[in-house]
């Protein structure tokens, strides 16, 4: 193993001989220097792994030397050592991106700990995370063998997300592959659970919160009609994506509660999001609002009446609640909403639908550049986070916080990277979605789908006589025999929704109070 090369810069370097001997005994190589000017010359000539830098030196001060070091080698770790505990010096050093800050007198073990923290950080985290996941892997495997309730599935899914986010930051890619295999097993078992229990869960006394129950059971009781509430529905947002967005709200909002809920089937916008805003199942929407509801094969947009659905639901549940609804599908519309934020302050509820993540998932299918940028789950999350931090939505959230508004963030369904095709045959009126199909005379692989012969059994409209629904399991997508190979190549490894998976069905609703 290559010895770590340290440059130690201190005008009293001879007094540090015991420390230097201690580190050399640990196989570190130490170069010594007594002033900032000489240190800069050495850094230009040599490749050091880390610099120990005294803050209080004659000539160039430690802070001045630090600034010049960063100009020469931006990524060279610098550990500042000082006698002073004055706050402004600490702030200057931290602002100059030091790796660590130690107060004299330092003992050798402090120095060693700082070195390990900065130079062995990645290795130590990898080893600890790997060890922890190996233990948890066995526990999750045992849980998967016994899980038999919707609450337990939420708990398992959260564990899998936690470890996916932990493992993506370590150097051992083998662990991530093992987790991926465990996720596949979980989705296989989750599909069987939904296939056996979905119909009963919809009507059970002890049932999960489903899409059509969310507003009445979760959102309405949390509304702040004094300062107002901002409800943001980010279309197509998976739980793992939410977990990488959430920390960026912490400077502005504190989370008071989070309710994981289940998207209804199909896990598609026209069903799930309409259900949230209407407070009704698709079958009830068709009966009560035939002028608003459209089936898959009907002409026209399927989510054009969300405001009308929301207004009708509010009239049923809390008449007089002042609300406004906005659907954002372009950055210009998002900017206009943000610019006109002051006009929202008089509302009890401002509901905003953002379609960006849905557009991102569809763009991955259609645009090669997005396929490259969102080639795997980690990059897909990263792209979502980059959008969130730089979008007008983030500015709107900050303005809502300053106005004292409550914040609720949720979604309508998730999405899954669809990797394997399964064949389906139907007539011309079969629906287009790749993860579910509705139509007559459907032919399919029984083992690959949850088939519902009578849609009313799961509160879905019967679009035609003898029409039925099928929902793809795990990461499958439906492909027609005609031009099969071209179809499969085009849609393989694209993000789709509408079927049955943990990613599509278990989704968040988080409640925040302004800080």
């Amino acid at each position: 193993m290559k010895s770590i090369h340290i440059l130690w810069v201190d005008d009293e370097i001879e007094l540090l001989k015991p420390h230097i001997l201690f580190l050399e005994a640990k196989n570190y190589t130490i170069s010594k220097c007594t002033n900032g000017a000489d240190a800069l010359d050495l850094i230009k000539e040599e490749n050091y792994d880390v610099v120990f830098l005294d803050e209080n030196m004659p000539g160039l001060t430690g802070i001045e030397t630090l600034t010049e070091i960063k100009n020469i080698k931006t990524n060279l770790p610098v550990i500042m050592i000082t006698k002073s505990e004055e706050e402004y010096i600490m702030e200057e050093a931290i602002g100059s991106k030091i790796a660590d800050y130690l107060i004299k007198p330092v003992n050798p073990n402090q120095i060693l700990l700082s070195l390990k923290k900065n130079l062995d950080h990645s290795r130590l985290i990898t080893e600890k995370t790997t060890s922890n996941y190996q233990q948890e892997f066995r526990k999750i495997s045992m849980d998967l063998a016994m899980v038999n309730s919707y609450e337990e599935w939420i708990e398992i899914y959260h564990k899998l997300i936690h470890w996916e986010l932990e493992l993506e930051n370590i150097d051992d890619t083998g662990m991530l592959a093992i987790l991926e295999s465990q996720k596949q097993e979980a989705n296989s078992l989750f599909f069987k659970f939904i296939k056996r229990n979905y119909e009963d869960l919809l009507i059970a006394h002890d049932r999960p919160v489903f899409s059509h129950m969310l507003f009445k059971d979760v959102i309405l009781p949390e509304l702040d009609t004094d300062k107002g509430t901002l409800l943001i529905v980010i279309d197509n947002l998976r739980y793992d994506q939410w977990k990488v967005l959430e920390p960026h709200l912490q400077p502005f909002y504190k989370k008071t509660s989070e309710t994981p809920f289940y998207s209804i089937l199909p896990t598609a916008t026209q069903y799930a999001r309409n259900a949230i805003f209407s407070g009704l199942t698709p079958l009830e929407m068709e009966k009560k609002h035939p002028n608003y509801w459209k089936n898959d094969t009907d002409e026209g947009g399927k989510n054009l009446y969300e405001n009308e659905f929301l207004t009708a639901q509010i009239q049923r549940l809390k008449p007089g609640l002042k609300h406004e609804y906005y659907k954002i599908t372009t950055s210009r519309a998002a900017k206009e909403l943000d610019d006109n934020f002051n006009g929202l302050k008089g509302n009890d509820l401002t509901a905003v639908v953002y379609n960006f993540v849905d557009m991102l998932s569809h763009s991955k299918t259609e645009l090669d550049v997005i396929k490259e940028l969102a080639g795997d789950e980690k990059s897909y999350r990263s792209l979502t986070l980059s959008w969130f931090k730089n979008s007008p939505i983030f500015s709107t959230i900050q303005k809502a916080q300053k106005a004292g508004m409550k914040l609720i963030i949720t979604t309508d369904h998730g999405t899954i990277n669809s990797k394997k095709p399964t064949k389906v045959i139907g007539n011309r009126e079969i629906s287009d979605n790749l993860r579910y199909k509705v139509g007559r005379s459907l032919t399919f692989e029984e083992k690959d789908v949850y088939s519902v012969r009578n849609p009313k059994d799961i509160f879905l409209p019967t679009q035609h006589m003898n029409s039925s629904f099928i929902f793809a399991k795990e990461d499958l997508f439906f492909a027609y025999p005609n031009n099969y190979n071209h179809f499969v190549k085009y849609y393989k490894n694209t993000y789709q929704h509408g079927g049955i998976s943990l990613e599509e069905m278990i989704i968040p609703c988080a409640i925040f109070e302004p800080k």
Side-chain angles (χ1 to χ4, degrees):
M1 180 177 159
K2 172 183 169 289
S3 174
I4 298 296
H5 195 177
I6 301 167
L7 174 62
W8 202 320
V9 188
D10 195 306
D11 62 316
E12 299 176 328
I13 195 72
E14 293 307 315
L15 300 179
L16 299 169
K17 190 171 183 179
H19 297 68
I20 291 169
L21 290 173
F22 173 81
L23 291 177
E24 287 177 339
K26 298 285 185 182
N27 200 36
Y28 292 95
T29 300
I30 316 294
S31 292
K32 296 173 284 185
C33 180
T34 60
N35 62 82
D38 289 347
L40 297 175
D41 289 337
L42 288 171
I43 286 167
K44 290 173 185 175
E45 296 169 5
E46 289 283 339
N47 288 319
Y48 296 101
D49 296 294
V50 63
V51 176
F52 285 132
L53 181 62
D54 183 27
E55 181 271 323
N56 186 20
M57 296 185 296
L60 279 178
T61 67
I63 295 293
E64 291 168 339
T65 304
L66 172 63
T67 302
E68 292 302 316
I69 290 172
K70 289 299 178 180
N71 287 335
I72 297 167
K73 292 186 178 177
T74 306
N75 296 319
L76 178 60
V78 178
I79 297 170
M80 182 74 78
I81 302 176
T82 178
K83 291 178 182 176
S84 174
E85 295 187 44
E86 292 192 51
E87 189 175 351
Y88 82 93
I89 294 176
M90 294 183 190
E91 288 180 350
E92 277 198 67
I94 293 167
S96 299
K97 299 181 180 178
I98 57 165
D100 207 350
Y101 192 93
L102 304 177
I103 306 293
K104 289 182 178 181
V106 292
N107 65 51
N109 282 320
Q110 278 180 288
I111 297 288
L112 186 61
L113 178 61
S114 186
L115 284 170
K116 287 193 172 294
K117 185 169 69 174
N118 286 285
L119 300 178
D120 283 350
H121 183 262
S122 178
R123 177 183 64 80
L124 293 171
I125 286 180
T126 295
E127 289 176 359
K128 182 64 175 173
T129 304
T130 298
S131 172
N132 289 347
Y133 174 61
Q134 286 171 339
Q135 294 176 27
E136 190 72 6
F137 173 86
R138 290 186 284 273
K139 187 176 186 308
I140 293 173
S141 295
M142 288 189 289
D143 289 343
L144 283 173
M146 301 171 62
V147 60
N148 196 36
S149 72
Y150 73 85
E151 299 102 330
E152 290 170 329
W153 274 115
I154 290 172
E155 186 178 343
I156 284 177
Y157 183 42
H158 281 182
K159 285 181 181 178
L160 291 169
I161 290 171
H162 167 78
W163 285 109
E164 184 171 15
L165 297 179
E166 289 288 307
L167 293 172
E168 75 175 17
N169 294 315
I170 69 171
D171 296 331
D172 188 349
T173 56
M175 283 294 104
L176 205 52
I178 292 171
L179 175 81
E180 187 60 35
S181 175
Q182 195 165 51
K183 277 177 62 184
Q184 289 173 1
E185 179 191 1
N187 261 325
S188 176
L189 293 170
F190 180 70
F191 168 74
K192 292 174 183 176
F193 171 80
I194 292 296
K195 190 172 183 177
R196 286 194 310 268
N197 297 290
Y198 184 69
E199 186 177 331
D200 291 334
L201 280 174
L202 285 170
I203 58 173
H205 175 71
D206 179 22
R207 57 180 167 171
V209 175
F210 281 105
S211 307
H212 57 289
M213 303 157 57
L214 183 70
F215 188 84
K216 177 176 180 290
D217 291 355
V218 179
I219 295 174
L220 191 62
E222 292 287 349
L223 295 185
D224 183 343
T225 54
D226 181 24
K227 293 285 189 177
T229 300
L230 177 63
L231 168 64
I232 296 177
V233 182
I234 303 176
D235 189 31
N236 218 8
L237 188 73
R238 296 192 320 209
Y239 230 119
D240 60 317
Q241 292 171 305
W242 164 240
K243 285 301 178 187
V244 300
L245 302 188
E246 183 184 350
H248 296 273
L249 297 174
Q250 288 176 358
F252 314 103
Y253 277 93
K254 58 183 178 183
K255 185 169 70 174
T256 57
S257 66
E258 183 170 306
T259 301
F261 71 102
Y262 276 67
S263 170
I264 61 168
L265 295 175
T267 49
T269 305
Q270 71 200 69
Y271 291 91
R273 202 165 75 207
N274 276 333
I276 290 173
F277 283 114
S278 68
L280 304 169
T281 66
L283 183 61
E284 291 169 328
M285 281 185 266
E286 184 192 47
K287 289 180 178 178
K288 292 187 176 183
H289 301 287
N291 50 331
Y292 300 153
W293 174 257
K294 288 183 181 292
N295 288 313
D296 285 76
T297 54
D298 292 338
E299 294 293 325
K302 307 299 191 293
N303 283 81
L304 298 179
Y305 299 102
E306 289 169 353
N307 187 29
E308 289 80 359
F309 277 136
L310 178 60
T311 300
Q313 181 172 196
I314 288 172
Q315 282 299 109
R316 291 197 311 273
L317 301 175
K318 195 166 185 178
L321 187 78
K322 185 180 179 184
H323 81 281
E324 285 188 310
Y325 163 92
Y326 297 88
K327 182 185 288 187
I328 306 299
T329 57
T330 65
S331 57
R332 176 182 292 181
K335 185 70 168 59
E336 286 178 1
L337 178 67
D338 188 54
D339 289 343
N340 297 316
F341 176 81
N342 286 337
L344 309 179
K345 292 180 181 178
N347 296 331
D348 298 322
L349 170 66
T350 302
V352 184
V353 172
Y354 281 87
N355 260 23
F356 174 82
V357 181
D358 185 56
M359 290 188 287
L360 176 62
S361 66
H362 290 301
S363 296
K364 187 178 187 295
T365 304
E366 298 160 8
L367 299 175
D368 289 339
V369 65
I370 301 297
K371 287 180 182 177
E372 291 294 324
L373 290 172
D376 57 23
E377 306 290 22
K378 181 179 179 180
S379 55
Y380 188 39
R381 285 189 289 270
S382 177
L383 202 56
T384 306
L385 177 59
S386 179
W387 157 74
F388 181 75
K389 290 194 300 182
N390 295 286
S391 72
I393 183 179
F394 198 37
S395 172
T396 302
I397 286 170
Q398 293 173 52
K399 289 177 180 177
Q401 180 260 336
K402 289 177 181 175
M405 295 173 71
K406 205 166 190 177
L407 174 67
I408 302 177
I409 296 183
T410 189
T411 185
D412 49 4
H413 55 76
T415 185
I416 189 166
N417 193 0
S418 299
K419 297 177 181 177
K420 298 186 289 286
T422 181
K423 289 184 180 179
V424 64
I425 301 173
N427 60 27
R428 287 184 182 179
E429 295 177 341
I430 190 172
S431 58
D432 293 332
N433 190 285
L434 297 183
R435 292 275 295 155
Y436 78 92
K437 295 291 180 186
V438 55
R440 291 176 289 184
S441 305
L442 296 174
T443 303
F444 47 85
E445 293 285 346
E446 286 282 354
K447 64 180 177 58
D448 291 342
V449 306
Y450 170 34
S451 171
V452 181
R453 305 291 181 186
N454 181 8
K456 290 181 180 178
D457 289 342
I458 58 170
F459 301 98
L460 295 177
T462 303
Q463 300 186 16
H464 303 286
M465 188 71 70
N466 299 323
S467 68
S468 60
F469 279 83
I470 57 172
F471 306 97
K473 70 176 184 179
E474 302 164 31
D475 58 1
L476 302 184
F477 63 95
F478 291 118
Y480 303 109
N482 296 341
N483 209 10
Y484 179 80
N485 290 333
H486 171 76
F487 191 90
V488 168
K489 183 179 179 182
Y490 186 75
Y491 286 107
K492 187 176 181 180
N493 290 322
T494 62
Y495 288 101
Q496 305 293 337
H497 54 85
I500 299 171
S501 67
L502 292 160
E503 290 89 338
E504 291 163 289
M505 289 193 76
I506 299 178
I507 47 179
C509 181
I511 315 292
F512 295 88
E513 293 279 0
K515 284 187 174 179

